[in-house]
Amino acid sequence: ETGVTQTPRHLVMGMTNKKSLKCEQHLGHNAMYWYKQSAKKPLELMFVYNFKEQTENNSVPSRFSPECPNSSHLFLHLHTLQPEDSALYLCASSGLAGSTDTQYFGPGTRLTVL
Amino acid sequence: GDSVTQMEGPVTLSEEACLTINCTYTATGYPSLFWYVQYPGEGLQLLLKATKADDKGSNKGFEATYRKETTSFHLEKGSVQVSDSAVYFCAQYKAAGNKLTFGGGTRVLVKP
């Protein structure tokens, strides 16, 4: 498989559930990102990882917990979410955070919180 | 702060018509500029980019020129197809801030 993959593509969860989103990049990149795309709102950067280290947390609530075990994998752990957290969650990767390299996006996970 | 403003959609046009989507940015310094496209049910795909003033990015018949004097990066295509129906996002990136800032997106619908 090539590019950036995300699983699952769709997820429905209750407010008391715990779930995780997975992202994997096959591009040899060193930086990975989580974005949130809500209807009628601009894309929001959530987290940035550079060489497995978190370099940015854009004031994201603690009910979202990222994990980056290596440069190819990125997770977003979800717990006690709210209905307003329903959105498309996009993962991206680039050659090196802080450079002008282009970010490549995965297809996203469509999350619905009931 | 840094921002990107693009025309609101939806933009509806017929096949073979000309498309222009306006994009302007505010930034200190000299950002790199991008256009991304999002087809229904998919993530964002890079369409084209330009990294310095007067650069022209082009791909799949789309073009955009980095205009520093007007802080603009308008997207153009001379003859659209139904398959160009998508949401188009303008974005700027500055290494110093380590942030890719997106505009709100413009939905384009091309009718046969």
Side-chain angles (χ1 to χ4, degrees):
Chain A
E1 240 179 315
T2 59
V4 181
T5 58
Q6 290 186 243
T7 55
R9 293 293 308 274
H10 301 272
L11 178 63
V12 179
M13 58 186 290
M15 289 190 284
T16 58
N17 292 156
K18 289 185 180 181
K19 297 287 184 183
S20 295
L21 309 185
K22 178 183 176 182
C23 175
E24 185 173 359
Q25 59 94 2
H26 308 268
L27 300 169
H29 287 163
N30 302 311
M32 298 187 77
Y33 311 79
W34 279 117
Y35 287 87
K36 177 183 179 182
Q37 186 178 29
S38 304
K40 301 186 188 299
K41 291 178 68 174
L43 262 75
E44 302 172 59
L45 178 66
M46 301 175 72
F47 301 103
V48 179
Y49 277 82
N50 187 10
F51 289 104
K52 302 187 297 180
E53 299 296 322
Q54 187 180 123
T55 55
E56 176 132 356
N57 176 338
N58 201 21
S59 303
V60 180
S62 60
R63 57 186 184 269
F64 295 92
S65 175
E67 178 190 2
C68 189
N70 55 62
S71 292
S72 299
H73 293 85
L74 183 65
F75 295 89
L76 188 62
H77 304 300
L78 316 171
H79 64 97
T80 60
L81 294 192
Q82 305 298 312
E84 60 264 29
D85 296 322
S86 299
L88 181 68
Y89 288 85
L90 292 164
C91 174
S93 70
S94 70
L96 181 65
S99 75
T100 56
D101 285 350
T102 304
Q103 292 184 20
Y104 294 86
F105 285 79
T109 295
R110 174 71 61 186
L111 174 67
T112 302
V113 181
L114 302 178
Chain B
D2 298 342
S3 66
V4 176
T5 302
Q6 58 183 108
M7 57 192 293
E8 288 192 26
V11 174
T12 303
L13 57 168
S14 299
E15 212 165 17
E16 300 184 4
C18 296
L19 171 68
T20 299
I21 304 176
N22 292 333
C23 170
T24 56
Y25 66 92
T26 58
T28 55
Y30 303 97
S32 296
L33 301 175
F34 300 82
W35 277 100
Y36 282 85
V37 58
Q38 186 175 31
Y39 298 104
E42 299 185 15
L44 274 68
Q45 300 176 25
L46 175 69
L47 183 58
L48 52 84
K49 70 176 185 180
T51 57
K52 61 182 187 297
D54 300 325
D55 268 3
K56 177 186 283 188
S58 61
N59 186 27
K60 298 182 181 179
F62 290 89
E63 291 185 341
T65 301
Y66 191 142
R67 300 287 188 199
K68 178 169 165 287
E69 63 277 10
T70 54
T71 61
S72 65
F73 193 53
H74 304 323
L75 182 68
E76 299 177 325
K77 186 173 185 181
S79 176
V80 294
Q81 306 300 314
V82 172
S83 58
D84 293 323
S85 298
V87 181
Y88 293 82
F89 292 90
C90 186
Q92 63 164 308
Y93 180 86
K94 283 168 54 180
N98 189 26
K99 186 172 287 189
L100 188 62
T101 302
F102 286 90
T106 302
R107 184 175 300 277
V108 173
L109 177 61
V110 180
K111 295 186 173 180

